[in-house]
Amino acid sequence: MLGQMMNVPLVIPSLLEFAAKYHGDCEIVSKTVEGPIHRYTYVGMARRARQLANALRGLGLGEGDIVGTLAWNGYRHVELYYAVSGIGAVCHTVNPRLFVEQITYIINHAEDRYIFTDLTFVKLLEGLADKLPKVRGFVLMTDRAHMPSTTLPKALCYEELLAGQPDTFDWPVVDENSAAALCYTSGTTGNPRGVLYSHRSTVLHSMAVNFADAFALTARDAMLPVVPMFHVNAWGIPYAAPVSGCKLVMPGPHLDGPSLTSLMETEGVTITAGVPTVWLNLLAHIKETGKRPSKLDRVVIGGSACPPAMMEAFEGLGIRTIHAWGMTEMSPLGVINSPTRKTEALPAAERAAVALKQGRPLFGVDIKIVDAAGEDLPFDAVSFGSLKVHGYWICSGYFRQDPVPAHEEPGWFDTGDVATIDAEGFVKIVDRTKDVIKSGGEWISSIDLENVAIAHPAVREAAAIGRPDEKWGERPVIVAVLKPGASATAEEIRAFYRGKVGKWCEPDAVIIVESLPHTATGKLLKTELRRLYGG
Ligand code: AMP
């Protein structure tokens, strides 16, 4: 017997139309590439998204077509999220920080029909245009006054495209399982792989982002996503904010400490989200000036492990940190750290140790850890194994690719991370499977070693890698960058490990360098580090 409830499809335009109707005067503020601040409301955004939808139809785009974007966090990019998916097409965010060869591969693999680009990336695209045979045209996300002269074929101006278009649009009723957005993972080996999100997965994920034990966005909050819209849809924030009528503050290309703190202050930002490398810069700036954004209440930290020293620094400023873990393949939210009745009652040191874990699954995500034979391991905080996930917003395969081992077990996706899980379901990521240091049969977590180095007062950033060793298989080596003006010798940093980790985990060597290589999404580039310092 079927229930007698309305069968309303979960589709992306409904998020924005809801905000326009019930949170109509809530603002979206963007620092633009052109310079000035742009501000309007969800009513204005919905109006322009409908105009854009009409314009996209005018370009001959429709269901199943893929539209690429190379753009920062800004209002026009959000309009594209809604209009492209809204007409039944697929919004493909391309990470402009990738190598040119990867960008070319991604655009061609996805067969993007049009590319929408911020002015910043016009030169980059000019260099590639003749290698992109499937792209019919380029749209520069600016107005006529700022249109540069360009060699891009059939270059259109975004504002001219919208001008004169009706601001009404009947969003087609698409199947909630149809494709809505596409994002490629920036793997360190092989070609990037496409993750194809559906309307349904995106809407469900948006609701989960809003859970009280997740980002807890409200109509009183102002959220500034530092995490780029080309990295897993800025962790779903442009879809989640309208659900709660949360103000959106978009930093555009201005991601340095001074720009972020000043925008946070003027726009009353209460919550922000990004990877640890971004927070290193922000914290350094706050320390220098002695001023923290006055309304900032919580910072979501994910993408790489949050070092204890970073958590302490934020807490010292009265800013709550929310540690979260996920992946492009998971839309991205998997687990998030929020205290429970039980953990809140723990003594301070134990509470802090729990807060450093990556967190517990949100409703919608199930997790397990398995050993090398694929057997389930207990949730005892000690056993560690490959972390597998299952749920509403987790990919079941890669776009236009044969199944890969990660999807071998039906219903489970192998994340490539090694983790422990405690009895309450708190996950502690030990490492990426590929980065864990295997020494004499013991596994050493590179994350744990990095956290110790960063706690040294002179160290700004550190990476732990395994160096091949005849006797032990691998031995840990630390590559560290010092804080500006600080001094410490390699031997001092090595001595700092004594008593903080097991004797066998102490690094064999510390190498002090000027800077560390990062991936296009701000993570430490371990393959390159091993090449440079692992010999
Ligand atoms: P990406 O798909 O680029 O977002 O990368 C996902 C990977 O980043 C995960 O599989 C983890 O290895 C790593 N990661 C994400 N969040 C965290 C975290 N909070 N702590 C440790 N590693 C993380």
Side-chain angles (χ1 to χ4, degrees), residues 228-241:
M229 290 174 68
F230 50 75
H231 182 203
V232 217
N233 300 321
W235 299 349
I237 292 162
Y239 301 117

Side-chain angles (χ1 to χ4, degrees), residues 80-320:
L80 278 158
Y81 268 34
Y82 285 96
V84 173
S85 304
I87 64 162
V90 177
C91 183
H92 171 204
T93 51
V94 181
N95 184 341
R97 293 182 182 143
L98 292 172
F99 293 120
V100 170
E101 299 74 35
Q102 289 177 313
I103 295 176
T104 314
Y105 169 85
I106 286 174
I107 294 173
N108 286 332
H109 185 264
E111 300 185 10
D112 290 350
R113 292 275 175 268
Y114 273 85
I115 308 267
F116 283 69
T117 178
D118 266 339
L119 293 176
T120 320
F121 311 114
V122 170
K123 279 271 163 295
L124 186 149
L125 282 168
E126 284 175 348
L128 308 181
D130 62 347
K131 299 188 192 81
L132 308 174
K134 293 279 168 62
V135 175
R136 289 189 207 142
F138 296 84
V139 181
L140 277 52
M141 295 161 68
T142 191
D143 54 15
R144 176 48 56 190
H146 292 91
M147 273 296 274
S149 65
T150 174
T151 60
L152 282 177
K154 305 199 196 91
L156 300 169
C157 165
Y158 186 94
E159 292 302 329
E160 282 179 355
L161 196 64
L162 259 67
Q165 293 288 350
D167 63 7
T168 55
F169 187 80
D170 279 332
W171 300 109
V173 183
V174 296
D175 182 327
E176 64 177 17
N177 285 304
S178 50
L182 176 64
C183 183
Y184 281 71
T185 61
S186 45
T188 44
T189 50
N191 278 324
R193 292 172 176 158
V195 178
L196 192 59
Y197 310 103
S198 68
H199 283 262
R200 176 187 150 87
S201 69
T202 306
V203 172
L204 290 173
H205 182 264
S206 312
M207 295 196 211
V209 166
N210 276 293
F211 285 166
D213 274 331
F215 295 10
L217 301 179
T218 70
R220 301 170 299 287
D221 279 308
M223 159 59 101
L224 187 155
V226 182
V227 51
M229 290 174 68
F230 50 75
H231 182 203
V232 217
N233 300 321
W235 299 349
I237 292 162
Y239 301 117
V243 170
S244 309
C246 169
K247 175 173 168 177
L248 263 179
V249 182
M250 298 304 218
H254 312 281
L255 304 175
D256 55 288
S259 303
L260 286 176
T261 39
S262 129
L263 188 62
M264 284 177 182
E265 188 57 37
T266 51
E267 298 304 327
V269 168
T270 57
I271 174 166
T272 181
V275 296
T277 34
V278 166
W279 306 131
L280 281 179
N281 295 333
L282 187 89
L283 284 167
H285 178 70
I286 291 177
K287 193 161 179 209
E288 217 174 278
T289 58
K291 269 201 229 133
R292 53 89 108 203
S294 54
K295 297 266 175 57
L296 190 61
D297 170 56
R298 52 207 197 276
V299 179
V300 184
I301 304 181
S304 306
C306 171
M310 180 170 288
M311 202 169 270
E312 276 163 29
F314 275 120
E315 303 284 333
L317 294 165
I319 299 166
R320 186 157 64 90

Side-chain angles (χ1 to χ4, degrees), residues 231 302-305 323-328 358 417 429 432 521 523:
H231 182 203
S304 306
H323 198 188
W325 166 90
M327 319 177 65
T328 306
Q358 277 72 9
D417 285 344
I429 301 290
R432 289 292 295 159
T521 52
K523 299 175 209 290

Side-chain angles (χ1 to χ4, degrees), residues 233-446:
N233 300 321
W235 299 349
I237 292 162
Y239 301 117
V243 170
S244 309
C246 169
K247 175 173 168 177
L248 263 179
V249 182
M250 298 304 218
H254 312 281
L255 304 175
D256 55 288
S259 303
L260 286 176
T261 39
S262 129
L263 188 62
M264 284 177 182
E265 188 57 37
T266 51
E267 298 304 327
V269 168
T270 57
I271 174 166
T272 181
V275 296
T277 34
V278 166
W279 306 131
L280 281 179
N281 295 333
L282 187 89
L283 284 167
H285 178 70
I286 291 177
K287 193 161 179 209
E288 217 174 278
T289 58
K291 269 201 229 133
R292 53 89 108 203
S294 54
K295 297 266 175 57
L296 190 61
D297 170 56
R298 52 207 197 276
V299 179
V300 184
I301 304 181
S304 306
C306 171
M310 180 170 288
M311 202 169 270
E312 276 163 29
F314 275 120
E315 303 284 333
L317 294 165
I319 299 166
R320 186 157 64 90
T321 52
I322 304 173
H323 198 188
W325 166 90
M327 319 177 65
T328 306
E329 286 88 336
M330 301 176 72
S331 305
L333 223 49
V335 306
I336 194 153
N337 199 318
S338 197
T340 66
R341 210 175 289 118
K342 201 165 164 185
T343 64
E344 247 181 358
L346 292 171
E350 285 174 53
R351 222 172 39 231
V354 176
L356 277 169
K357 295 191 177 189
Q358 277 72 9
R360 304 199 303 158
L362 295 146
F363 171 74
V365 177
D366 194 11
I367 56 172
K368 65 173 179 178
I369 40 173
V370 299
D371 63 16
E375 294 301 322
D376 285 11
L377 290 166
F379 287 15
D380 59 7
V382 184
S383 312
F384 57 86
S386 302
L387 179 59
K388 292 192 168 192
V389 293
H390 161 93
Y392 299 130
W393 48 83
I394 292 161
C395 76
S396 58
Y398 289 107
F399 183 49
R400 293 186 180 140
Q401 270 197 5
D402 292 336
V404 294
H407 283 114
E408 244 160 34
E409 185 181 355
W412 290 94
F413 170 70
D414 188 340
T415 63
D417 285 344
V418 177
T420 65
I421 308 177
D422 70 17
E424 262 71 52
F426 279 94
V427 170
K428 181 172 190 291
I429 301 290
V430 174
D431 226 326
R432 289 292 295 159
T433 315
K434 290 179 198 141
D435 297 338
V436 80
I437 301 161
K438 299 180 185 86
S439 178
E442 296 286 348
W443 283 24
I444 303 175
S445 156
S446 67

